[in-house]
Amino acid sequence: MSSLKARLKAQSARLAPAVQRLAAGAKSQKQVTTVTTTTKKKKQQQQQMKKQKRKRSEQDGGDRKRSKPNASARAATQKSSETMVKKKKKRHMSELQQSMQAKLSGAQFRWLNERLYTCTGSEALKMFQEDPAHFAAYHRGFRSQASKWPFNPNDEFIAFLRARPKLVVGDFGCGDAKIQQSVPNKVHSFDLVAANEHVIACDMANVPLGDRCLDVAVFSLSLMGTDYDKFLREAHRTLKVGGQLKVAEVESRFESHAGQRQFVDAVCSLGFRVTKHKQYGKMFVMFDFVKVPKGKTHKKKKNNKQGGSAAASTNAFPILKSTRYKKR
């Protein structure tokens, strides 16, 4: 028995260092695990703090953006303020001042209107080139007058072209190119001044187009000038055979129904055939013509005693009167 105890004691003595080493290793492992866990917690806390800081920064930035508008927003605000100031000034104008201003604008429009009807196309072009503000003033007055009409010829032309989107169009005397902006067709818009990017500024007696390239030529209240026949000759040059010439004018510009018939005969003498001649209400008259092959007209020509054509004397273009707009 004593020998067994001795052996156990000796074996315990031998194992003691190993047990100590194991205990030390376990303690070290626990310390490492504790350190690792602590490190992970610190990293998580740091990441969370960064997220919170980023969020606060974004919120602060949004607040600054809302409190300090960008350049475009500031410009819009300034423009709005200027508009309000102008409106306020206008409201502060007396009724007498407003009336006088309207009369001055109306007088300027009527003067320009009369001038355009009594000069040639080249003279009108020169006048507007020297002072484009005249053109802007004329069209402001024209739009004011047109807004009161029960019918606008442009609406008739627009409806016609929308139903025929493949036709190529020349709009002679287009103003602000309303027709071009209202239809899917290819439209060449001509006027004395380019009111916008759609308009080609030129003399309508000499437009920048080749021969026989148009399907339709439109004159919507634009036969102004003492040499308006040159505009119609230019339309004939640019139209294809079978192409359509569409004209709308104020009825009072013609001396009478006989004057309208004289106009039709004169246009036909250029190489057209009339297909429609219609009155629209009490204010407008509209004409449709078709370009015919060379040598053919709407009726046979009679020869005079010298063997020449009588067309030069019988088919002279009538003088169209100026449109008289009421004082408003």
Side-chain angles (χ1 to χ4, degrees):
M1 187 67 148
S2 59
S3 62
L4 179 61
K5 286 182 179 180
R7 283 197 301 269
L8 288 173
K9 188 175 180 180
Q11 190 173 1
S12 296
R14 286 195 304 271
L15 292 175
V19 171
Q20 289 177 357
R21 285 196 299 274
L22 286 173
K27 185 177 180 181
S28 176
Q29 182 66 30
K30 185 176 180 180
Q31 290 176 346
V32 170
T33 303
T34 304
V35 170
T36 303
T37 304
T38 305
T39 304
K40 284 183 179 180
K41 285 183 178 179
K42 284 184 178 179
K43 285 184 178 180
Q44 289 176 353
Q45 288 174 354
Q46 289 174 354
Q47 288 176 354
Q48 190 173 2
M49 288 173 67
K50 285 181 179 179
K51 286 181 181 180
Q52 291 175 352
K53 188 175 180 181
R54 193 183 302 119
K55 190 174 181 181
R56 283 196 300 271
S57 177
E58 289 174 355
Q59 288 175 348
D60 293 341
D63 292 339
R64 283 194 296 272
K65 286 180 181 179
R66 286 191 291 271
S67 61
K68 294 184 179 180
N70 56 28
S72 60
R74 287 196 299 272
T77 304
Q78 184 177 358
K79 188 174 180 180
S80 177
S81 300
E82 290 173 356
T83 304
M84 289 178 68
V85 169
K86 287 180 181 179
K87 287 182 177 179
K88 192 176 290 185
K89 285 182 179 179
K90 190 173 181 180
R91 283 198 298 269
H92 286 317
M93 289 175 66
S94 67
E95 291 184 4
L96 177 61
Q97 287 174 319
Q98 292 181 33
S99 175
M100 289 177 66
Q101 188 180 46
K103 286 182 179 179
L104 285 172
S105 298
Q108 185 184 25
F109 166 69
R110 287 189 294 275
W111 178 83
L112 289 169
N113 183 69
E114 182 69 20
R115 183 79 180 90
L116 289 172
Y117 281 115
T118 54
C119 69
T120 65
S122 59
E123 289 171 342
L125 178 63
K126 183 180 178 182
M127 177 178 70
F128 285 140
Q129 284 179 337
E130 290 176 350
D131 192 350
H134 282 334
F135 187 83
Y138 173 79
H139 278 281
R140 276 197 304 271
F142 181 82
R143 284 192 294 269
S144 176
Q145 293 288 336
S147 66
K148 302 174 181 67
W149 295 344
F151 166 79
N152 192 319
N154 272 349
D155 297 334
E156 182 78 8
F157 297 139
I158 289 168
F160 172 83
L161 294 172
R162 281 177 176 169
R164 301 162 181 82
K166 293 184 179 180
L167 298 181
V168 180
V169 185
D171 186 1
F172 291 72
C174 64
D176 56 3
K178 179 183 177 182
I179 291 177
Q180 180 176 346
Q181 298 177 71
S182 304
V183 300
N185 307 65
K186 171 66 177 177
V187 181
H188 302 277
S189 301
F190 306 111
D191 214 319
L192 298 171
V193 174
N196 54 47
E197 69 276 11
H198 303 289
V199 184
I200 301 171
C202 63
D203 184 347
M204 287 186 294
N206 184 24
V207 299
L209 289 178
D211 297 345
R212 298 180 295 279
C213 60
L214 297 179
D215 298 302
V216 182
V218 173
F219 288 83
S220 182
L221 311 178
S222 56
L223 291 179
M224 306 176 77
T226 55
D227 57 348
Y228 70 88
D229 60 298
K230 292 181 181 179
F231 310 154
L232 295 169
R233 295 177 195 277
E234 185 71 348
H236 182 272
R237 179 186 71 80
T238 56
L239 276 170
K240 302 173 183 176
V241 173
Q244 300 180 62
L245 170 65
K246 303 179 83 65
V247 178
E249 267 304 336
V250 178
E251 190 273 339
S252 61
R253 294 197 67 198
F254 297 93
E255 199 67 46
S256 62
H257 287 291
Q260 293 182 27
R261 288 195 297 272
Q262 183 184 355
F263 174 77
V264 168
D265 290 343
V267 174
C268 288
S269 71
L270 300 179
F272 290 101
R273 173 172 53 85
V274 64
T275 57
K276 185 173 79 171
H277 174 192
K278 185 178 179 181
Q279 186 88 18
Y280 278 78
K282 296 180 179 180
M283 192 169 182
F284 301 107
V285 60
M286 299 184 74
F287 308 89
D288 283 0
F289 302 90
V290 173
K291 181 176 177 179
V292 297
K294 191 174 182 180
K296 293 185 179 181
T297 57
H298 66 305
K299 57 183 178 181
K300 294 181 180 179
K301 297 178 181 178
K302 295 181 179 179
N303 294 333
N304 57 22
K305 292 181 180 179
Q306 286 76 25
S309 172
S313 59
T314 60
N315 292 333
F317 280 86
I319 297 173
L320 300 183
K321 296 187 292 183
S322 303
T323 301
R324 302 291 182 180
Y325 291 102
K326 295 180 180 179
K327 295 182 180 181
R328 299 182 184 275

